[in-house]
Amino acid sequence: MNFRPGNTILALLAFMVLSAGAQSGNKPKIKRQVIEAVEGLRYSPVRLSMKQGEQLELKFVNRDPNDQPHNLVIIKPGSLPAIQAASLEIGPDSIKNQYVPEHKAVLAASSLLESDKSGTLTFEPDAKGIYHYVCTFPGHAAVMYGAIYVNQRPPRDLASDPNIPKMVRDLEMEKVKKALEVERPAVTRAFLPDAGPAAIAVALPGKLNYCWDAGNCRLRYAWSGAFIDRRAMLNSNGSKLTSVLETPFWSAGGGESDYSLQTVDPKARPDFKGYRLVNGVPEFRYLIGDLEIRESLTPFEEGLKWQFQIKGTSGPVRIFSPGAVESDQGKRDGDYWVFDPNASGTYTLKIKSPK
Amino acid sequence: MMTKFKLTSVIAICAASFLRAEHPGYQVEALPFEDGTDAQVGGIDVLPDGRLAVCFHHGDLRLYDPKTRTWSLFAQGLHEPLGIVTESPTSFVVMQRPELTRISDTDGDGKADLFETVCDDFGMTGNYHEFAFGPVRDPEGNYVIALNVASNGASIRPEIRGDWLELGVPREDFMKSWGSVKGKAGRMYSRTPYRGWIVKVDPKSGKMTPWASGFRSPNGLGYDGEGRLYVTDNQGDWRGTSPLHHVEKGKFYGHPASLPWTEGYDGPPPLEIPVAELEKLRTPAAIWFTQGSMANSPTQPVLIPEGFGPFAGQLLVGEMNRARIVRVIQEEINGVVQGACTPFIDDSGLDRGINRLAFGPDNTLWTGQTHLSWAGGEGMRRITWKGKNSFQDVKSISLTRDGFEVEFLQPVTPAELEKITLRRYTFAYHSAYGSPQKEQSEIAVKTVALEPGNRRFLIKTANPHRKDFCYEFQFPMCQNPLLCYTVREIPN
């Protein structure tokens, strides 16, 4: 490759000509976009981003296979509830107006399209904000809408975007959960909700999960289904909480100064010693005074088998275990199960999980 | 269009060849990672057989075999592991955020099944900046770890571990009215035990002994060949520029947040102690890394072994903000450790964010990069000595009563000596973030050859030395012209 000065001059000239072309006039930059109405009263895509000063040139195509008519109406930020309500009021002019409500929040609208028909509309936002597009055919607006982010960054995940329909969010969440599913069993240490800073999340076979707190050596809560979402934490300096993907079916409640296991010495604090993986499932080890404790949770048909092995017990063993916790061995005393010491040192409880 | 294409191609080729410029003495190669791997490295150690044990921000502990260039998973789910020490080919001690853990494979399947808590006797508020660094082993075999203070970039979590130190700001206010108490908390705060401390841990009993205080963000611990412990810290409050500290038992290294955890402490809250009092208490940095030109966030110091070129016995330190490894030339004057720092390798295939360094038994240097939410990079590099001493740099430098004694790797011509420049400046010790270079002045120099061969010279300075000043040289004939010497003591 030869570098000749002539080329530079030609290139500079070409650049100058191109620049001059771009600067003439004050026409907005055109942003072209196709939005389709798809099966299940949804728009695809369900959100867009653009900048103020751009003109959106939308092609709207009705691809709904269920022979449903749809329109696409762009409305002012914050007016979605009003337009949803207005779309249900059918008046004498509704059909003539393509079911677009006569409302000051309407900024642009397509005509009502039958399946496989398409139309165009343009939109030039005059301020930053979140503008919705919505189908105002009666009965659709409650679920069929999308969002245009103008000079504003949308939440990273569709699953956590409050400006799109819940149905779409839920579908996305299902995808997220599927993508985040782990090979079970798995043990992950992280900052978890409703636990101390030294928390441990465990995924067991059978889609059962629990949070165990190594700070005060106790089970905090259990949930079934998808495990945890660490993405926010992994994409930060570690400050972000790791989220638990389902609502716990059981929780011990309480805070940092509560302990599960109460022994003869009520003042003794547990001292965490770690865990051993038995077929991948952790068996936690800790000391309370002179006692050596092993605690494990394993899945069984009805939920979690919660087992303590205690070396050195001399008095009754009291385990704080509120709610749907059963045992074949001991006595229920309020929120506690109470066991007389036995020769094997093994005390078993069962936390029932919902079917 | 054709002409445009040619022009940009030429520019692209020039830029690429500039960035790729290879170091004449050292080979830098990148390690392979599977696509999609979040290769942010928290710790590296090398096994006696040459394999690497590496822990990652995403929580894995993986082993790398340089012979087959393959990775295998040893353990996962670790909480921000930031350091690792091999105890045996099947057992590693890892510093996680909440604890120092021994992670072992006891059934021989190549995967960890035993996670023993060696030590978790320090507090945590759940603040993101409470990183835990290390471990390194002291000459007696104890583990040395460093506990970062919390940052008022965030508050604490609803539940904490360990005792709470109120210092006039109740814990409820940290939770309920953070906006209004943020200022009172201190830019970096230590509200649970031993935050801002270096502590030692007995490897068998796990017993923790507080060792030295006054640290801010000590992301780098290492020993030199004399068994001296060095710890880096990051520019910020009470850190005019990033320092390298020589750390000894019982001493205080300047960041006051950690002081109340001193045994028997009955002084005022740290932010109320007059700076003059703190000045008396503190041990200043052994070496300053000048912010902006040398290093902005220095990381792990490692001892250079024999067989890795001409600098054995000196230290290498990683740097987060640029693709650079810094070299430290330490010496002891009047019983005080001080010395110089200079870039060792710039670019040449390095990435930014060099967080961890480790030498293998074959004198290969391995680096691991990270960034989290700061400047940095990803991945790992393998750095080897090419075996030929063909480049020019300062081999060593030592402070004399009236100048500096400098040894170069190659002979220096009189014309090159003429081009040496020197300036000096100091940094403020105060609660504000960082410090400008203060009391800057140019220093005239005169060189005198110390022996035939034109490699060793006395660089005489026109002005008498000043303690607690950074002397910044430019040696234009060197691969790395910049060299800074921090004067603490002046030879008697």
Side-chain angles (χ1 to χ4, degrees):
Chain A
M1 183 176 303
N2 293 318
F3 179 70
R4 296 198 311 270
N7 287 352
T8 321
I9 292 158
L10 281 172
L12 280 172
L13 278 171
F15 176 73
M16 284 159 72
V17 169
L18 286 170
S19 312
Q23 278 163 11
S24 66
N26 269 332
K27 278 189 184 161
K29 203 179 146 201
I30 306 289
K31 181 183 167 73
R32 290 189 177 84
Q33 175 76 44
V34 178
I35 296 182
E36 296 179 339
V38 295
E39 186 167 20
L41 300 183
R42 285 187 292 133
Y43 286 116
S44 174
V46 72
R47 69 180 185 190
L48 311 173
S49 290
M50 66 182 292
K51 292 194 179 69
Q52 214 185 318
E54 286 179 338
Q55 189 185 62
L56 185 65
E57 204 175 282
L58 264 185
K59 183 180 180 192
F60 172 53
V61 191
N62 184 355
R63 298 246 185 252
D64 191 336
N66 295 329
D67 204 23
Q68 290 275 321
H70 297 295
N71 64 12
L72 187 150
V73 181
I74 300 175
I75 58 174
K76 281 186 180 168
S79 66
L80 182 64
I83 295 296
Q84 284 169 326
S87 76
L88 294 172
E89 289 162 18
I90 301 161
D93 293 332
S94 289
I95 298 176
K96 190 185 83 193
N97 291 342
Q98 314 279 325
Y99 291 99
V100 178
E102 287 185 57
H103 195 287
K104 60 182 189 310
V106 172
L107 300 173
S110 76
S111 48
L112 189 72
L113 302 177
E114 297 300 327
S115 284
D116 291 324
K117 295 281 187 288
S118 67
T120 57
L121 67 160
T122 58
F123 167 58
E124 208 180 316
D126 55 9
K128 74 170 264 190
I130 301 160
Y131 296 76
H132 278 103
Y133 47 96
V134 52
C135 176
T136 53
F137 187 73
H140 289 189
V143 293
M144 189 167 177
Y145 57 88
I148 305 172
Y149 284 81
V150 178
N151 287 20
Q152 202 169 321
R153 191 198 290 258
R156 189 165 50 94
D157 280 332
L158 281 174
S160 60
D161 188 340
N163 297 303
I164 63 168
K166 183 176 179 302
M167 182 177 68
V168 180
R169 247 185 355 248
D170 290 349
L171 280 170
E172 284 302 317
M173 199 61 217
E174 284 312 308
K175 282 190 218 162
V176 166
K177 286 175 183 174
K178 216 167 171 185
L180 293 176
E181 196 39 80
V182 285
E183 204 177 310
R184 293 164 181 269
V187 180
T188 302
R189 305 195 62 154
F191 287 142
L192 293 167
D194 303 313
I200 303 176
V202 178
L204 293 172
K207 292 239 160 192
L208 288 168
N209 317 280
Y210 66 86
C211 166
W212 200 86
D213 195 330
N216 51 4
C217 299
R218 73 175 181 121
L219 179 65
R220 300 298 299 253
Y221 49 88
W223 69 100
S224 66
F227 187 39
I228 51 173
D229 183 357
R230 294 202 301 157
R231 290 173 302 163
M233 184 283 286
L234 291 174
N235 289 318
S236 74
N237 46 31
S239 183
K240 296 272 166 42
L241 211 59
T242 289
S243 57
V244 163
L245 285 169
E246 305 287 352
T247 307
F249 62 79
W250 181 85
S251 171
E256 72 190 29
S257 48
D258 295 302
Y259 304 103
S260 291
L261 186 59
Q262 308 218 333
T263 60
V264 278
D265 178 3
K267 281 186 193 148
R269 285 181 171 197
D271 178 14
F272 184 54
K273 289 293 167 195
Y275 55 94
R276 178 185 284 282
L277 298 179
V278 180
N279 298 320
V281 174
E283 180 188 82
F284 300 103
R285 290 183 50 235
Y286 51 98
L287 307 175
I288 303 180
D290 297 335
L291 306 182
E292 259 184 73
I293 294 116
R294 287 165 187 240
E295 181 179 339
S296 66
L297 290 119
T298 46
F300 78 115
E301 312 81 66
E302 293 165 68
L304 289 164
K305 193 171 95 174
W306 185 12
Q307 194 166 71
F308 295 82
Q309 270 184 289
I310 305 175
K311 235 195 239 175
T313 314
S314 58
V317 174
R318 287 170 65 82
I319 296 166
F320 184 71
S321 47
V325 182
E326 295 174 3
S327 177
D328 303 331
Q329 278 177 286
K331 288 192 299 277
R332 198 69 167 137
D333 176 13
D335 284 337
Y336 290 83
W337 275 97
V338 184
F339 303 90
D340 289 327
N342 64 45
S344 70
T346 304
Y347 309 91
T348 308
L349 301 93
K350 290 170 187 169
I351 305 173
K352 295 287 184 79
S353 69
K355 276 281 159 260
Chain B
M1 286 316 284
M2 193 59 206
T3 50
K4 266 190 140 178
F5 169 71
K6 277 184 182 168
L7 181 67
T8 44
S9 301
V10 171
I11 293 166
I13 288 164
C14 293
S17 59
F18 173 72
L19 284 174
R20 276 192 214 128
E22 223 182 83
H23 191 285
Y26 294 90
Q27 180 82 37
V28 179
E29 299 163 70
L31 264 66
F33 280 98
E34 269 173 48
D35 286 351
T37 305
D38 178 11
Q40 295 190 69
V41 174
I44 310 174
D45 197 19
V46 190
L47 281 68
D49 63 10
R51 284 183 300 154
L52 308 186
V54 183
C55 50
F56 294 89
H57 169 59
H58 60 63
D60 283 7
L61 195 182
R62 297 185 191 178
L63 303 178
Y64 178 74
D65 189 340
K67 288 187 199 104
T68 57
R69 292 171 70 81
T70 51
W71 290 93
S72 60
L73 182 67
F74 187 77
Q76 54 192 147
L78 307 178
H79 197 174
E80 203 69 73
L82 284 170
I84 182 165
V85 165
T86 305
E87 283 196 340
S88 84
T90 55
S91 189
F92 306 91
V93 171
V94 174
M95 188 77 247
Q96 302 191 64
R97 245 186 208 284
E99 64 178 51
L100 188 66
T101 315
R102 182 175 290 111
I103 302 175
S104 311
D105 168 21
T106 65
D107 60 10
D109 68 351
K111 285 206 164 65
D113 50 68
L114 185 61
F115 297 71
E116 297 167 283
T117 304
V118 181
C119 177
D120 64 353
D121 296 339
F122 52 88
M124 294 174 87
T125 65
N127 178 281
Y128 72 100
H129 222 291
E130 287 175 348
F131 297 106
F133 304 113
V136 287
R137 294 194 96 150
D138 74 5
E140 290 80 43
N142 298 301
Y143 289 114
V144 186
I145 63 175
L147 302 169
N148 211 323
V149 288
S151 161
N152 82 358
S155 185
I156 60 171
R157 292 193 189 277
E159 296 188 22
I160 67 167
R161 185 179 75 187
D163 296 334
W164 171 256
L165 182 67
E166 188 145 314
L167 296 178
V169 187
R171 201 174 138 190
E172 303 85 74
D173 291 0
F174 271 74
M175 295 311 304
K176 286 188 192 139
S177 38
W178 174 239
S180 61
V181 301
K182 192 177 163 166
K184 287 188 235 164
R187 188 182 280 273
M188 304 296 278
Y189 56 93
S190 171
R191 290 293 204 277
T192 54
Y194 304 111
R195 289 285 152 196
W197 283 70
I198 307 292
V199 301
K200 286 198 176 184
V201 177
D202 182 294
K204 287 204 180 71
S205 68
K207 190 181 176 307
M208 188 179 92
T209 311
W211 195 257
S213 63
F215 293 89
R216 181 181 179 276
S217 191
N219 180 25
L221 298 86
Y223 279 87
D224 72 4
E226 313 289 315
R228 291 182 289 218
L229 173 64
Y230 293 88
V231 177
T232 56
D233 209 327
N234 200 103
Q235 189 220 30
D237 47 339
W238 307 101
R239 297 284 187 257
T241 197
S242 297
L244 178 74
H245 288 287
H246 167 224
V247 179
E248 292 175 299
K249 190 180 181 180
K251 290 191 173 174
F252 162 68
Y253 291 89
H255 195 289
S258 52
L259 276 175
W261 300 110
T262 312
E263 205 183 342
Y265 182 81
D266 59 357
L271 290 177
E272 292 170 21
I273 308 171
V275 177
E277 286 300 309
L278 293 170
E279 275 282 17
K280 279 184 235 160
L281 287 174
R282 75 165 179 146
T283 299
I287 287 165
W288 276 323
F289 301 103
T290 301
Q291 177 82 8
S293 59
M294 188 64 71
N296 291 11
S297 292
T299 62
Q300 190 178 3
V302 287
L303 174 67
I304 305 175
E306 297 285 347
F308 189 71
F311 309 118
Q314 299 175 6
L315 305 170
L316 295 179
V317 177
E319 149 70 343
M320 293 300 295
N321 291 57
R322 69 193 84 201
R324 166 177 292 177
I325 298 172
V326 177
R327 177 163 59 96
V328 166
I329 307 164
Q330 72 279 24
E331 66 171 339
E332 208 172 289
I333 305 277
N334 305 340
V336 172
V337 174
Q338 59 186 43
C341 53
T342 177
F344 168 61
I345 300 178
D346 268 346
D347 300 315
S348 313
L350 295 179
D351 194 1
R352 297 190 302 167
I354 298 172
N355 187 34
R356 294 294 175 258
L357 304 92
F359 276 100
D362 60 349
N363 303 318
T364 293
L365 173 64
W366 303 91
T367 68
Q369 285 75 249
T370 196
H371 54 77
L372 303 192
S373 59
W374 293 281
E378 292 183 12
M380 291 184 67
R381 297 290 184 272
R382 172 195 187 128
I383 303 165
T384 45
W385 165 236
K386 289 177 181 172
K388 227 170 64 193
N389 187 354
S390 58
F391 62 96
Q392 178 65 298
D393 251 336
V394 170
K395 185 182 178 189
S396 65
I397 183 166
S398 182
L399 189 69
T400 66
R401 182 120 194 98
D402 55 354
F404 297 84
E405 202 181 298
V406 180
E407 182 177 348
F408 294 92
L409 291 175
Q410 317 294 339
V412 182
T413 65
E416 288 173 334
L417 289 173
E418 285 294 311
K419 290 189 178 137
I420 297 172
T421 61
L422 177 63
R423 54 192 280 268
R424 77 178 172 204
Y425 45 82
T426 188
F427 297 101
Y429 173 61
H430 58 199
S431 64
Y433 195 99
S435 160
Q437 296 175 9
K438 300 181 70 162
E439 298 182 60
Q440 300 182 56
S441 61
E442 305 293 324
I443 308 283
V445 294
K446 215 162 75 185
T447 50
V448 182
L450 286 176
E451 60 182 36
N454 292 322
R455 286 177 52 248
R456 284 187 62 224
F457 298 89
L458 177 65
I459 300 179
K460 283 191 161 178
T461 46
N463 314 50
H465 291 320
R466 284 190 70 179
K467 285 186 181 185
D468 299 319
F469 267 72
C470 177
Y471 283 71
E472 181 184 299
F473 284 97
Q474 289 290 341
F475 296 112
M477 63 289 208
C478 287
Q479 174 85 16
N480 297 290
L482 176 68
L483 182 144
C484 295
Y485 189 103
T486 305
V487 174
R488 294 291 172 221
E489 287 289 324
I490 299 159
N492 294 323

